[in-house]
Amino acid sequence: MAIERTLSIVKPDATRKNHVGAIVARFESEGLRIAAIRKVWMSKQEAEGFYAVHAARPFFGELVEFMTSGPSVVIVLEGENAVARNRELMGATNPAQAADGTLRKLYAASIGENAVHGSDSLENATIETAYFFRGTEIF
């Protein structure tokens, strides 16, 4: 099994509801190590840059507005198959379709306010991690 790093974001809806600690504890209890963590309040420019891959989609404006509505916690997770494990822990984007016990089933209110983000591939994990962290900030 490969040791990987991936990016996770605890989104503004989950930070507003004080779920950060429970989400971080879940990552750790599932064997993922916190390699870097910090709280950020994204500007419109930062959110548009991070989600640029979705710029042509109809929900882009709402996504940027949501991600700039309050602070988020950005986290670099490390562990065996971290990308896939984090995606499994998150659950389906729509919390109504997420499996019981997943983060989105437990903490998300809707497709738009779905509590967490996670990189979908190793390539994107590298890109997304570099968006928020310098290499010297990851331990």
Side-chain angles (χ1 to χ4, degrees), residues 20-90:
V20 174
I23 292 169
V24 169
R26 181 68 184 279
F27 291 143
E28 291 182 325
S29 73
E30 296 288 336
L32 293 169
R33 190 179 73 77
I34 308 301
I37 187 169
R38 70 183 179 137
K39 197 171 199 178
V40 300
W41 194 321
M42 284 188 235
S43 68
K44 181 179 180 187
Q45 182 179 357
E46 288 169 325
E48 287 174 341
F50 184 76
Y51 286 106
V53 66
H54 298 302
R57 295 189 144 161
F59 61 82
F60 180 71
E62 289 176 33
L63 176 60
V64 169
E65 185 176 331
F66 168 61
M67 291 304 293
T68 60
S69 70
S72 296
V73 175
V74 291
I75 306 166
V76 178
L77 298 171
E78 184 178 78
E80 290 186 13
N81 300 312
V83 173
R85 291 180 60 217
N86 183 42
R87 306 264 324 150
E88 185 178 321
L89 283 170
M90 287 190 315

Side-chain angles (χ1 to χ4, degrees), residues 20-21 26 85 102 106 115 118 121 126-127 131 137 139:
V20 174
R26 181 68 184 279
R85 291 180 60 217
T102 61
L106 293 169
S121 68
T126 300
I127 294 166
Y131 196 85
E137 297 174 312
F139 304 98

Side-chain angles (χ1 to χ4, degrees), residues 4-18:
E4 299 173 347
R5 286 185 175 158
T6 190
L7 185 80
S8 180
I9 301 176
V10 181
K11 294 180 178 182
D13 58 322
T15 61
R16 269 193 290 279
K17 295 174 185 172
N18 293 318

